[in-house]
DNA sequence: AACGTTTCCGGTAACGTTTCCGGGATTTTC
DNA sequence: GAAAATCCCGGAAACGTTACCGGAAACGTT
């Protein structure tokens, strides 16, 4: 129905030129106070909204950030909320695309956003991705890009991530303190950075406590409840079975839990369990699951702040690496001491 | 670095006019086959991508859909994935905004998307919203709008939703079949449409089975685990306590479960429990939770399809109402007969 | 009275694209 | 062989905005 008013409409109704209207609206100098007031009054009456498209075309900025995430599970959607929060504050709009952990989809998404003319990218890379040309293309276009959570050493870009190693350390140390002796790890796919870092934390802790590592206690499996279930069954079938398990995600911990219950073992007495991410589900299962908590919302905010900083500065921030610290959250599944 | 090539670059290099280049690229008539081929060859060489901004400005279409949702919990993020799926297919990009169940935020989001010049909206309305002027403004601008899941009778717009009444019916009937006699309902806030419809399904079923309703068995409380917990404690403290509870969300069912366990009652023997939504958590809790399953992904797809249809037709679709059917998913918490 | 400053405003180009229109050159038609 | 049709192409306007430039009018200064 009522087409939105343009600067030209205002100019005509006031019998002045569009340039003057434009200047008035951006309160630039070189315009009489009265005409400016008239312009402002009329623009409010007509409910004038500047056309973002024309503006973007003119000044080659869209004030839009392309966000690419592998999925929108609890952790990532919380991070996205964090990104959204500070982006909005800074006058940016975000476009979120899910790659569904697919390399092809990730390429498609970057291409799409790239020619939708976003001003830059905030990216968490898919687990499937081993080639990074599509991301490098972004940088080659001169657009800023921040990598968060799932970072990749192949990309030289500012990054924000969790100290995953410390997470592994916290979990392992806690289990040792509770008197568990044979601690197994359910890790993710061997090419997933976050998983490996958490594993490293575990290994370092063993070394610190002078416990020699037992490779049979380290299982790699898909980031998935079912695989975790079967992997746990294998662990429990060992002649010298582990008396504690650290899984690098809550999802996997749930799978492990099912297997443990099925075998008639009790937590935390027979076997201790610690997950990672501290998703809400952790306090819904029985027994309630101990987990490594990460400041997801804060992490998202930090990523967006870093992005905006790299928009505004001409310095090279590609070496900036922000690292947030995890926190141990002890619940029933691993507390056997008072 | 390398600024993207424009139509003008191609024209210059080929010593022809921009019009000819444009025509060649859109294989319009009135262009010689050879020049066309030359243009196409060069455009590929330069990796030419048409500037979406200029295009949108010109033809007053952005090929972008604004999606507004109250949050991104499991159900809604699944629906959004569905929307994304068919939107992408049809050449649209989606911009998702969360209102966080806040009326003010919803207004802000619509305004922002509106002047980002989206082509239309797909909306699920926040629970807080009682005034709909911001949505009517969309329609007044002549933009198509589809409402999904959380619909509102105040809005005359095409809609896609679940048959919530049937959900309530399925749950209640199932509990009756399992021999439960006194069935309580944990409903959401009294102004939430979906909640009331599910409640209606319950009431209709009672009537069908000639059971007189007992108002003390119907509790309204916030859409929230904690409130559900306390409400359940109240229910269980009644002199004639219910022997089954139907909650209108899984989140609330979890709260109820905690209360039930705390009171030393067992499911399904002492008390039956059925949730709604069939979130993954339903099969993670002990006992596993029976729930009403809804085709969220399909619902999202249907909403997007309806949107695209209303983009392409000039007919008035505002009376179109697509209703998807729920499915009962029986698990441990309510199965006491073989 | 002449000149420099300030104040205020309009015209125009530009961002990258499509579309309409007109016209020269070539071909067809009788 | 002239009129008519066809084939190609370029120019220009338009979408809505900003930015640069130039200039008219008013003012102040000697």
């Amino acid at each position: 129905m009522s087409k939105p008013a343009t600067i030209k409409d205002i100019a005509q109704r006031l019998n002045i030129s569009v340039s003057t209207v434009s200047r008035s609206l951006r309160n630039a100098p070189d315009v009489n106070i009265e005409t400016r007031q008239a312009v402002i009054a009329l623009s409010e009456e007509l409910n004038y909204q500047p056309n973002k498209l024309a503006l973007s075309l003119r000044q080659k900025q869209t004030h839009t950030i392309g966000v690419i995430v592998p999925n929108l599970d609890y952790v990532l959607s919380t991070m996205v909320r964090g990104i959204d929060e500070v982006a909005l504050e800074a006058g940016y709009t975000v476009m979120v695309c899910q790659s569904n952990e697919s390399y092809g989809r990730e390429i498609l998404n970057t291409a799409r956003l790239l020619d939708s003319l976003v001003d830059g990218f905030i990216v968490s890379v898919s687990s499937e991705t081993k080639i990074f040309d599509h991301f490098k293309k972004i940088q080659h276009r001169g657009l800023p890009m921040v990598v968060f959570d799932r970072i990749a050493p192949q990309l030289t870009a500012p990054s924000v991530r969790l100290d995953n190693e410390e997470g592994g350390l916290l979990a392992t140390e806690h289990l040792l303190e509770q008197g568990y002796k044979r601690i197994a790890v359910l890790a993710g796919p061997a090419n997933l950075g976050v998983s490996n870092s958490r594993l490293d934390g575990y290994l370092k802790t063993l070394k610190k406590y002078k416990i020699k590592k037992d490779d049979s206690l380290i299982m790699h499996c898909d980031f998935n409840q079912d695989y975790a279930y079967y992997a746990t069954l294998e662990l429990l079938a060992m002649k010298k079975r582990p008396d504690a398990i650290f899984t690098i995600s809550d999802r996997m911990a749930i799978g492990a839990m099912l297997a443990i219950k099925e075998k008639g073992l009790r937590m935390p007495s027979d076997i201790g369990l610690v997950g990672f991410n501290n998703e809400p589900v952790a306090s819904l299962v029985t027994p309630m699951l101990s987990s490594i908590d990460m400041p997801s919302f804060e992490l998202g905010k930090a990523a967006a702040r870093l992005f905006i900083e790299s928009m505004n500065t001409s310095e090279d921030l590609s070496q900036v690496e922000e690292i947030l610290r995890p926190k141990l959250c002890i619940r029933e599944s691993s507390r056997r001491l008072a």
Side-chain angles (χ1 to χ4, degrees), chain A residues 268-305:
Chain A
S269 50
D270 298 327
I271 197 161
L273 184 63
V274 175
F276 211 112
N277 284 351
N278 198 25
E279 300 188 22
V281 69
S283 39
L284 299 181
V285 291
T286 337
M288 294 197 282
L289 177 67
S290 299
S291 190
I292 301 296
D293 182 74
M294 60 189 289
S296 310
F297 190 68
E298 279 308 322
L299 204 149
K301 285 170 68 169
R305 272 194 295 260

Tab-separated table of all heavy atoms in Angstrom, chain A residues 268-305:
chain	number	residue	atom	x	y	z
A	268	PRO	N	28.057	-42.485	41.483
A	268	PRO	CA	29.494	-42.426	41.238
A	268	PRO	C	30.281	-43.549	41.891
A	268	PRO	O	31.494	-43.606	41.745
A	268	PRO	CB	29.864	-41.099	41.892
A	268	PRO	CG	28.928	-40.991	43.058
A	268	PRO	CD	27.660	-41.663	42.636
A	269	SER	N	29.581	-44.483	42.605
A	269	SER	CA	30.345	-45.450	43.403
A	269	SER	C	31.210	-46.367	42.543
A	269	SER	O	32.430	-46.438	42.731
A	269	SER	CB	29.387	-46.259	44.275
A	269	SER	OG	28.328	-46.759	43.476
A	270	ASP	N	30.581	-47.051	41.584
A	270	ASP	CA	31.364	-47.976	40.766
A	270	ASP	C	32.215	-47.245	39.732
A	270	ASP	O	33.324	-47.643	39.415
A	270	ASP	CB	30.427	-48.930	40.017
A	270	ASP	CG	29.615	-49.773	40.983
A	270	ASP	OD1	30.156	-50.101	42.063
A	270	ASP	OD2	28.449	-50.063	40.675
A	271	ILE	N	31.640	-46.200	39.218
A	271	ILE	CA	32.303	-45.532	38.109
A	271	ILE	C	31.957	-44.046	38.106
A	271	ILE	O	30.818	-43.671	38.405
A	271	ILE	CB	31.891	-46.217	36.764
A	271	ILE	CG1	32.852	-45.834	35.649
A	271	ILE	CG2	30.463	-45.891	36.390
A	271	ILE	CD1	32.777	-46.796	34.485
A	272	GLY	N	32.938	-43.217	37.861
A	272	GLY	CA	32.719	-41.768	37.843
A	272	GLY	C	32.575	-41.276	36.405
A	272	GLY	O	33.112	-41.885	35.480
A	273	LEU	N	31.834	-40.203	36.236
A	273	LEU	CA	31.608	-39.700	34.874
A	273	LEU	C	31.613	-38.172	34.875
A	273	LEU	O	30.962	-37.536	35.708
A	273	LEU	CB	30.266	-40.243	34.369
A	273	LEU	CG	29.882	-39.926	32.923
A	273	LEU	CD1	30.873	-40.544	31.949
A	273	LEU	CD2	28.474	-40.445	32.633
A	274	VAL	N	32.357	-37.616	33.939
A	274	VAL	CA	32.368	-36.155	33.782
A	274	VAL	C	32.198	-35.813	32.312
A	274	VAL	O	32.868	-36.399	31.461
A	274	VAL	CB	33.675	-35.533	34.297
A	274	VAL	CG1	33.708	-34.040	34.011
A	274	VAL	CG2	33.859	-35.772	35.786
A	275	GLY	N	31.299	-34.910	32.030
A	275	GLY	CA	31.059	-34.489	30.648
A	275	GLY	C	31.689	-33.147	30.334
A	275	GLY	O	32.550	-32.661	31.068
A	276	PHE	N	31.268	-32.562	29.246
A	276	PHE	CA	31.841	-31.282	28.826
A	276	PHE	C	30.755	-30.452	28.151
A	276	PHE	O	29.997	-30.979	27.329
A	276	PHE	CB	32.973	-31.519	27.837
A	276	PHE	CG	34.060	-30.471	27.886
A	276	PHE	CD1	35.336	-30.793	28.350
A	276	PHE	CD2	33.818	-29.175	27.476
A	276	PHE	CE1	36.354	-29.842	28.386
A	276	PHE	CE2	34.824	-28.214	27.510
A	276	PHE	CZ	36.090	-28.543	27.963
A	277	ASN	N	30.669	-29.187	28.508
A	277	ASN	CA	29.754	-28.178	27.945
A	277	ASN	C	28.748	-27.670	28.968
A	277	ASN	O	28.266	-26.549	28.857
A	277	ASN	CB	28.944	-28.696	26.752
A	277	ASN	CG	29.754	-28.776	25.498
A	277	ASN	OD1	30.880	-28.283	25.465
A	277	ASN	ND2	29.203	-29.385	24.475
A	278	ASN	N	28.444	-28.556	29.922
A	278	ASN	CA	27.452	-28.189	30.928
A	278	ASN	C	26.144	-27.726	30.287
A	278	ASN	O	25.636	-26.654	30.599
A	278	ASN	CB	28.011	-27.108	31.856
A	278	ASN	CG	27.231	-27.016	33.144
A	278	ASN	OD1	26.603	-27.993	33.556
A	278	ASN	ND2	27.259	-25.859	33.768
A	279	GLU	N	25.616	-28.541	29.428
A	279	GLU	CA	24.307	-28.256	28.859
A	279	GLU	C	23.228	-28.458	29.914
A	279	GLU	O	23.463	-29.151	30.902
A	279	GLU	CB	24.053	-29.181	27.662
A	279	GLU	CG	25.087	-29.011	26.565
A	279	GLU	CD	24.714	-29.787	25.303
A	279	GLU	OE1	23.522	-30.084	25.130
A	279	GLU	OE2	25.619	-30.077	24.505
A	280	PRO	N	22.062	-27.857	29.714
A	280	PRO	CA	20.995	-27.995	30.708
A	280	PRO	C	20.674	-29.450	31.005
A	280	PRO	O	20.318	-29.794	32.113
A	280	PRO	CB	19.811	-27.310	30.039
A	280	PRO	CG	20.394	-26.383	29.057
A	280	PRO	CD	21.687	-26.975	28.615
A	281	VAL	N	20.831	-30.302	30.013
A	281	VAL	CA	20.489	-31.698	30.196
A	281	VAL	C	21.318	-32.328	31.311
A	281	VAL	O	20.897	-33.295	31.935
A	281	VAL	CB	20.675	-32.486	28.872
A	281	VAL	CG1	22.132	-32.591	28.508
A	281	VAL	CG2	20.035	-33.852	28.948
A	282	ALA	N	22.472	-31.746	31.610
A	282	ALA	CA	23.348	-32.322	32.631
A	282	ALA	C	22.641	-32.451	33.971
A	282	ALA	O	22.840	-33.425	34.693
A	282	ALA	CB	24.618	-31.481	32.769
A	283	SER	N	21.799	-31.496	34.290
A	283	SER	CA	21.127	-31.595	35.590
A	283	SER	C	19.763	-32.276	35.477
A	283	SER	O	19.014	-32.325	36.433
A	283	SER	CB	20.992	-30.217	36.234
A	283	SER	OG	20.687	-29.253	35.267
A	284	LEU	N	19.453	-32.807	34.306
A	284	LEU	CA	18.168	-33.476	34.128
A	284	LEU	C	18.303	-34.984	34.196
A	284	LEU	O	17.343	-35.694	34.449
A	284	LEU	CB	17.555	-33.090	32.779
A	284	LEU	CG	17.255	-31.616	32.587
A	284	LEU	CD1	16.627	-31.386	31.233
A	284	LEU	CD2	16.355	-31.124	33.687
A	285	VAL	N	19.495	-35.479	33.934
A	285	VAL	CA	19.672	-36.922	33.929
A	285	VAL	C	19.910	-37.429	35.343
A	285	VAL	O	20.228	-36.662	36.244
A	285	VAL	CB	20.854	-37.325	33.029
A	285	VAL	CG1	20.510	-37.065	31.578
A	285	VAL	CG2	22.112	-36.579	33.434
A	286	THR	N	19.729	-38.713	35.520
A	286	THR	CA	19.963	-39.325	36.819
A	286	THR	C	21.062	-40.346	36.673
A	286	THR	O	20.916	-41.239	35.835
A	286	THR	CB	18.707	-40.061	37.334
A	286	THR	OG1	17.567	-39.516	36.686
A	286	THR	CG2	18.593	-39.992	38.813
A	287	PRO	N	22.131	-40.256	37.415
A	287	PRO	CA	22.435	-39.155	38.332
A	287	PRO	C	22.796	-37.901	37.561
A	287	PRO	O	23.180	-37.980	36.400
A	287	PRO	CB	23.652	-39.686	39.093
A	287	PRO	CG	24.329	-40.572	38.098
A	287	PRO	CD	23.228	-41.223	37.326
A	288	MET	N	22.693	-36.777	38.231
A	288	MET	CA	23.049	-35.531	37.560
A	288	MET	C	24.524	-35.554	37.178
A	288	MET	O	25.365	-36.058	37.918
A	288	MET	CB	22.736	-34.359	38.480
A	288	MET	CG	21.233	-34.237	38.717
A	288	MET	SD	20.765	-32.633	39.377
A	288	MET	CE	21.221	-32.830	41.094
A	289	LEU	N	24.763	-35.033	36.003
A	289	LEU	CA	26.083	-35.184	35.391
A	289	LEU	C	27.042	-34.037	35.730
A	289	LEU	O	26.741	-32.868	35.508
A	289	LEU	CB	25.899	-35.249	33.871
A	289	LEU	CG	27.150	-35.335	33.004
A	289	LEU	CD1	27.850	-36.674	33.214
A	289	LEU	CD2	26.792	-35.130	31.541
A	290	SER	N	28.202	-34.400	36.241
A	290	SER	CA	29.260	-33.394	36.391
A	290	SER	C	29.734	-32.989	35.012
A	290	SER	O	29.762	-33.801	34.089
A	290	SER	CB	30.446	-33.970	37.168
A	290	SER	OG	30.050	-34.347	38.450
A	291	SER	N	30.115	-31.730	34.875
A	291	SER	CA	30.492	-31.297	33.536
A	291	SER	C	31.407	-30.078	33.594
A	291	SER	O	31.467	-29.374	34.603
A	291	SER	CB	29.234	-30.971	32.731
A	291	SER	OG	29.550	-30.780	31.373
A	292	ILE	N	32.116	-29.876	32.507
A	292	ILE	CA	32.957	-28.687	32.399
A	292	ILE	C	32.113	-27.580	31.789
A	292	ILE	O	31.599	-27.711	30.679
A	292	ILE	CB	34.176	-28.956	31.506
A	292	ILE	CG1	35.014	-30.098	32.071
A	292	ILE	CG2	35.014	-27.696	31.361
A	292	ILE	CD1	35.619	-29.809	33.421
A	293	ASP	N	31.979	-26.521	32.536
A	293	ASP	CA	31.150	-25.411	32.076
A	293	ASP	C	31.976	-24.436	31.253
A	293	ASP	O	33.105	-24.112	31.593
A	293	ASP	CB	30.577	-24.677	33.292
A	293	ASP	CG	29.662	-23.541	32.875
A	293	ASP	OD1	28.553	-23.826	32.435
A	293	ASP	OD2	30.091	-22.365	32.991
A	294	MET	N	31.413	-23.970	30.154
A	294	MET	CA	32.127	-22.955	29.376
A	294	MET	C	31.256	-21.711	29.225
A	294	MET	O	30.043	-21.797	29.120
A	294	MET	CB	32.538	-23.487	28.020
A	294	MET	CG	31.417	-23.950	27.134
A	294	MET	SD	32.056	-24.808	25.677
A	294	MET	CE	32.764	-23.467	24.768
A	295	PRO	N	31.876	-20.543	29.221
A	295	PRO	CA	31.120	-19.294	29.150
A	295	PRO	C	30.722	-19.002	27.705
A	295	PRO	O	31.274	-18.109	27.065
A	295	PRO	CB	32.113	-18.253	29.676
A	295	PRO	CG	33.469	-18.818	29.372
A	295	PRO	CD	33.333	-20.308	29.351
A	296	SER	N	29.740	-19.736	27.214
A	296	SER	CA	29.386	-19.647	25.799
A	296	SER	C	28.919	-18.255	25.405
A	296	SER	O	29.337	-17.702	24.387
A	296	SER	CB	28.272	-20.639	25.474
A	296	SER	OG	28.594	-21.907	25.968
A	297	PHE	N	28.033	-17.720	26.201
A	297	PHE	CA	27.492	-16.402	25.888
A	297	PHE	C	28.612	-15.372	25.823
A	297	PHE	O	28.710	-14.604	24.854
A	297	PHE	CB	26.461	-16.025	26.952
A	297	PHE	CG	25.662	-14.810	26.633
A	297	PHE	CD1	24.746	-14.820	25.596
A	297	PHE	CD2	25.819	-13.656	27.378
A	297	PHE	CE1	23.992	-13.689	25.303
A	297	PHE	CE2	25.072	-12.524	27.096
A	297	PHE	CZ	24.166	-12.537	26.053
A	298	GLU	N	29.472	-15.406	26.816
A	298	GLU	CA	30.602	-14.484	26.853
A	298	GLU	C	31.518	-14.681	25.658
A	298	GLU	O	32.055	-13.735	25.092
A	298	GLU	CB	31.404	-14.684	28.139
A	298	GLU	CG	30.816	-13.984	29.350
A	298	GLU	CD	30.551	-12.504	29.074
A	298	GLU	OE1	31.380	-11.879	28.382
A	298	GLU	OE2	29.510	-12.002	29.519
A	299	LEU	N	31.685	-15.940	25.284
A	299	LEU	CA	32.570	-16.245	24.166
A	299	LEU	C	32.022	-15.621	22.884
A	299	LEU	O	32.762	-15.021	22.088
A	299	LEU	CB	32.703	-17.760	24.040
A	299	LEU	CG	33.953	-18.282	23.356
A	299	LEU	CD1	34.342	-19.627	23.932
A	299	LEU	CD2	33.755	-18.400	21.862
A	300	GLY	N	30.730	-15.738	22.716
A	300	GLY	CA	30.107	-15.116	21.553
A	300	GLY	C	30.295	-13.611	21.567
A	300	GLY	O	30.648	-12.999	20.553
A	301	LYS	N	30.081	-13.019	22.724
A	301	LYS	CA	30.238	-11.577	22.822
A	301	LYS	C	31.672	-11.170	22.498
A	301	LYS	O	31.908	-10.196	21.778
A	301	LYS	CB	29.846	-11.102	24.225
A	301	LYS	CG	28.347	-11.099	24.448
A	301	LYS	CD	27.939	-10.856	25.891
A	301	LYS	CE	28.249	-9.460	26.382
A	301	LYS	NZ	27.597	-9.186	27.700
A	302	ALA	N	32.606	-11.918	23.016
A	302	ALA	CA	34.010	-11.596	22.763
A	302	ALA	C	34.320	-11.669	21.271
A	302	ALA	O	35.024	-10.812	20.723
A	302	ALA	CB	34.907	-12.556	23.529
A	303	ALA	N	33.774	-12.672	20.615
A	303	ALA	CA	34.022	-12.822	19.180
A	303	ALA	C	33.498	-11.602	18.427
A	303	ALA	O	34.177	-11.038	17.566
A	303	ALA	CB	33.362	-14.095	18.661
A	304	ALA	N	32.284	-11.185	18.775
A	304	ALA	CA	31.694	-10.040	18.088
A	304	ALA	C	32.494	-8.776	18.378
A	304	ALA	O	32.735	-7.957	17.487
A	304	ALA	CB	30.245	-9.867	18.525
A	305	ARG	N	32.928	-8.629	19.610
A	305	ARG	CA	33.720	-7.439	19.943
A	305	ARG	C	35.011	-7.405	19.136
A	305	ARG	O	35.416	-6.367	18.621
A	305	ARG	CB	34.043	-7.434	21.443
A	305	ARG	CG	32.972	-6.754	22.283
A	305	ARG	CD	33.484	-6.473	23.672
A	305	ARG	NE	33.752	-7.710	24.393
A	305	ARG	CZ	32.935	-8.252	25.280
A	305	ARG	NH1	31.798	-7.655	25.573
A	305	ARG	NH2	33.247	-9.375	25.893
